[in-house]
Amino acid sequence: MADEEEEAGFEEELDDGSGGMDSSGHGRRKRLFSKELRCMMYGFGDDQNPYTESVDILEDLVIEFITEMTHKAMSIGRQGRVQVEDIVFLIRKDPRKFARVKDLLTMNEELKRARKAFDEANYGS
Amino acid sequence: MADPARIKTENSLEKEDFTNEDDPKTEQTENVPESSADDTKEPSTQDHPKDLNAEGEATAADDEEEGTSGQPSSKRLKVEPEKKKEKRHKVDEDEIQKMQVLVSSFSEEQLNRYEMYRRSAFPKAAIKRLIQSITGSSVSQNVVIAMSGISKVFVGEIVEEALDVCEKWGDTPPLQPKHLREAVRRLKSRDQIPNTKCKHILFH
């Protein structure tokens, strides 16, 4: 049952590799996130084998998103640099992303503290 | 790969890491809690009271009063976290328990999907390279962490919207490009997709 989809995906990959002509214009770059995006799409509700064109479209969207955010972050706060505060500021209106960033940064701090405490305990003994 | 036991040990491993600390907040694991807006305001206001403090100490008593009136935000930060920690502690515990009950009743396929949902992530190296190629200068690790996290949420929003579109049009799951494009169009109309290329001029 998965064979047909895999065949279609395989053919599409050949086309993509040779032509690189994409409506969004990013097709020429090598695919950065193909594997991870497939897992992510499955996790978010798509089929276990998503179409390769869909994965490509999503990758282009993600790269465009990151590019836009980076440019915006460079233009506010400290010019020419991207800092966490700028990202948090840009995200402030979107509740999901805002909460997610806060959680991630908090977790990172906690993990750093835990690792440091662990290392000090080891060093002491 | 789909090892139901592994998902539970993920949680217990996190707890083991924190046994050295007495912080009650360590009950929090990787769950994505819907934290209230108040929670998120605290760290962002922490920078300002320090500035106000410095100004207040430098001059006379009047300014010190101003300093203390500017200070309540830092005093509030000390008193509120105590109460809020307890409330958050209970809310998190409830939520953690509910999540555990839910996950324990998952079918094999659901467990697979849930594992993929939690574990999939963008490679930090590639994201860092991408951001650095745009800025031209190096970025800190926190920026990479924040950016990959936001991108994952972004992908999730698009896929969820696309699944809505797919269902509405009476199609079946493997998502097709037309679903994704319609999803992007809808999200754009809701301003959830940043776009600095087209500046719409209102009156001309």
Side-chain angles (χ1 to χ4, degrees):
Chain A
M1 67 174 170
D3 285 340
E4 290 169 51
E5 285 171 11
E6 273 174 24
E7 268 179 41
F10 187 59
E11 280 168 32
E12 286 305 323
E13 262 184 58
L14 281 180
D15 280 346
D16 220 20
S18 57
M21 289 301 290
D22 215 343
S23 55
S24 59
H26 287 293
R28 254 168 270 125
R29 198 184 317 190
K30 195 182 101 166
R31 293 287 146 192
L32 293 171
F33 305 130
S34 188
K35 272 184 246 154
E36 293 88 6
L37 263 179
R38 270 174 217 278
C39 298
M40 226 180 266
M41 285 173 80
Y42 175 51
F44 279 121
D46 195 6
D47 196 63
Q48 203 159 8
N49 294 325
Y51 287 138
T52 307
E53 309 99 312
S54 310
V55 179
D56 283 348
I57 292 183
L58 266 182
E59 167 157 359
D60 291 338
L61 283 166
V62 168
I63 293 186
E64 188 184 332
F65 175 75
I66 295 181
T67 310
E68 293 275 325
M69 292 294 297
T70 309
H71 280 303
K72 280 190 185 174
M74 282 203 290
S75 66
I76 65 173
R78 248 185 112 185
Q79 308 275 352
R81 299 186 71 128
V82 180
Q83 296 177 307
V84 201
E85 296 86 13
D86 301 335
I87 298 183
V88 174
F89 177 73
L90 290 171
I91 279 299
R92 69 199 189 281
K93 291 288 177 66
D94 188 336
R96 264 165 131 177
K97 297 193 184 102
F98 188 61
R100 183 65 180 157
V101 173
K102 284 292 173 183
D103 281 344
L104 283 172
L105 294 174
T106 317
M107 283 296 296
N108 192 36
E109 290 301 312
E110 282 186 24
L111 282 170
K112 272 203 281 193
R113 253 184 276 142
R115 266 185 231 128
K116 192 175 162 201
F118 181 69
D119 282 339
E120 277 175 15
N122 259 358
Y123 185 67
S125 61
Chain B
M1 195 176 171
D3 195 354
R6 260 177 131 196
I7 296 181
K8 283 208 177 149
T9 53
E10 248 186 58
N11 279 339
S12 55
L13 267 179
E14 295 274 344
K15 283 185 183 164
E16 273 173 38
D17 275 346
F18 296 142
T19 45
N20 291 331
E21 292 205 5
D22 288 332
D23 198 346
K25 238 174 82 172
T26 59
E27 287 291 313
Q28 252 182 16
T29 56
E30 264 188 353
N31 290 323
V32 190
E34 284 169 328
S35 48
S36 59
D38 292 310
D39 278 356
T40 54
K41 270 189 211 158
E42 284 170 33
S44 52
T45 54
Q46 257 175 12
D47 286 334
H48 295 289
K50 286 180 192 162
D51 289 338
L52 290 172
N53 259 339
E55 281 174 29
E57 283 170 17
T59 48
D62 281 344
D63 278 359
E64 255 191 350
E65 277 188 343
E66 276 178 33
T68 51
S69 65
Q71 219 180 358
S73 50
S74 73
K75 271 193 189 160
R76 239 186 290 139
L77 281 174
K78 281 177 193 159
V79 172
E80 281 195 343
E82 303 279 335
K83 282 186 274 174
K84 278 198 175 164
K85 260 188 198 175
E86 287 177 29
K87 200 172 81 171
R88 222 190 303 159
H89 185 53
K90 281 190 193 141
V91 168
D92 282 336
E93 267 207 356
D94 274 344
E95 189 155 347
I96 292 176
Q97 274 184 347
K98 285 185 199 167
M99 279 300 288
Q100 285 182 339
V101 169
L102 181 62
V103 176
S104 60
S105 63
F106 274 170
S107 71
E108 172 91 21
E109 205 240 320
Q110 286 171 324
L111 274 174
N112 259 337
R113 203 183 281 272
Y114 185 61
E115 182 177 356
M116 279 295 111
Y117 164 68
R118 291 288 289 262
R119 289 194 159 189
S120 62
F122 286 116
K124 294 220 183 348
I127 301 268
K128 187 164 187 177
R129 225 182 312 137
L130 179 60
I131 300 182
Q132 285 184 340
S133 74
I134 301 174
T135 62
S137 60
S138 66
V139 290
S140 72
Q141 212 190 25
N142 278 350
V143 169
V144 177
I145 292 176
M147 196 61 93
S148 21
I150 301 180
S151 307
K152 184 172 172 182
V153 176
F154 178 67
V155 169
E157 287 177 355
I158 298 185
V159 172
E160 281 181 14
E161 188 69 30
L163 284 168
D164 274 344
V165 170
C166 178
E167 195 182 334
K168 189 172 178 191
W169 290 355
D171 293 328
T172 59
L175 286 174
Q176 298 168 38
K178 57 179 177 178
H179 303 134
L180 287 171
R181 284 194 211 108
E182 171 67 14
V184 169
R185 193 194 62 85
R186 287 192 193 176
L187 288 178
K188 268 203 177 144
S189 74
R190 272 184 253 153
D191 271 335
Q192 277 185 294
I193 296 192
N195 177 28
T196 49
K197 287 177 205 155
C198 299
K199 293 196 174 171
H200 190 238
I201 301 177
L202 260 186
F203 305 108
H204 59 94

